[in-house]
Amino acid sequence: MSDKDLKDLTLEELWDLFPIILKKHNSEYKDWYNKKKKKLMKILDQNKIKRINHIGSTAVKGLIAKPTVDILLEIDKDYDLKKLKSNLKDNGWILMHENDMENLDLVFNKGYTPQGFAEKVFHLHVRYLGDWDELYFRDYLIKYEKVADEYGKLKKKLEKKYKHDRDAYTEAKSDFIKKWTKKAKKEFGDRY
């Protein structure tokens, strides 16, 4: 690869550099999350953080996953977003997606390099405190191993089909996720 910066790559070049790769569950994911959580708590305004959670497939023991630890950081509505973004950027996080209207949705990544994935990869989802589907889906998969196994099989099937198309891979999982999230919300009530 040339000396191109990641921001200079086309979507197709990014998908080639960062394909869908599923791996057997790594028992160290929880430790990765805990260490990254501690670092985040040191660099961010703790008084404005409402909740922080390990989400996604790496939070479900035994589930195959992209080796990427997803973190949901929920903040107060009066958190200074400019300061938050600056603090994260200064600590190596790359802002990949931003929607800071009424329903805040910021996504930061760490572990993406011009040579491909680093040894540890993280996605940080920053939102206002809320009743987020990802929390319900995670908890449902933890409680119901058969559903988690079914999800793992779906992901393996989709990995082959969409190895170099992250958007299509994500979209192809959405009906499954919506179905079980709906059941989780019915069972768990207003847990969050």
Side-chain angles (χ1 to χ4, degrees):
M1 177 173 194
S2 71
D3 289 338
K4 268 186 169 181
D5 198 12
L6 291 177
K7 66 180 174 19
D8 298 327
L9 298 178
T10 66
L11 192 56
E12 290 76 21
E13 288 173 319
L14 286 169
W15 284 342
D16 282 341
L17 187 58
F18 304 110
I20 301 296
I21 299 170
L22 297 176
K23 293 188 175 183
K24 189 176 158 181
H25 186 83
N26 181 342
S27 61
E28 293 180 15
Y29 290 146
K30 186 176 182 179
D31 187 47
W32 293 9
Y33 162 74
N34 285 324
K35 286 180 179 175
K36 194 58 69 181
K37 176 183 174 180
K38 282 182 184 176
K39 287 183 180 179
L40 288 167
M41 296 303 280
K42 286 181 183 177
I43 65 168
L44 300 175
D45 184 349
Q46 292 182 34
N47 295 325
K48 302 292 183 184
I49 295 174
K50 301 306 281 180
R51 198 168 47 196
I52 186 166
N53 272 281
H54 184 185
I55 59 171
S57 295
T58 60
V60 181
K61 187 178 178 182
L63 182 58
I64 63 164
K66 295 190 303 284
T68 302
V69 171
D70 286 282
I71 300 169
L72 175 60
L73 174 69
E74 296 173 272
I75 60 172
D76 265 340
K77 288 197 177 202
D78 63 348
Y79 199 121
D80 180 345
L81 295 180
K82 190 173 182 177
K83 183 179 177 184
L84 177 130
K85 290 181 214 175
S86 177
N87 285 347
L88 289 170
K89 183 180 177 187
D90 290 347
N91 283 275
W93 290 92
I94 301 167
L95 179 60
M96 299 301 293
H97 170 79
E98 180 174 11
N99 173 4
D100 60 359
M101 301 304 205
E102 184 178 324
N103 294 315
L104 177 70
D105 183 16
L106 303 174
V107 180
F108 294 85
N109 293 354
K110 198 168 206 176
Y112 289 76
T113 77
Q115 294 74 41
F117 293 114
E119 182 183 340
K120 295 178 183 174
V121 180
F122 299 89
H123 290 173
L124 177 64
H125 308 264
V126 181
R127 299 186 190 146
Y128 295 130
L129 184 67
D131 197 38
W132 301 109
D133 289 353
E134 292 92 339
L135 298 169
Y136 287 94
F137 186 62
R138 174 203 63 193
D139 289 354
Y140 203 81
L141 293 180
I142 289 170
K143 184 172 181 181
Y144 295 102
E145 190 176 329
K146 286 184 181 183
V147 178
D149 289 344
E150 189 180 335
Y151 186 48
K153 289 174 186 169
L154 172 65
K155 292 189 335 171
K156 278 305 267 182
K157 178 180 160 189
L158 297 174
E159 174 192 28
K160 293 173 186 158
K161 188 173 182 179
Y162 301 115
K163 189 161 196 78
H164 297 284
D165 188 342
R166 285 178 167 262
D167 291 344
Y169 172 81
T170 300
E171 179 60 32
K173 297 185 303 176
S174 66
D175 286 344
F176 183 95
I177 293 168
K178 286 177 188 173
K179 172 187 172 182
W180 294 105
T181 299
K182 184 177 179 181
K183 289 181 183 282
K185 284 186 168 189
K186 186 174 181 180
E187 179 176 335
F188 300 148
D190 292 328
R191 179 178 280 195
Y192 300 104

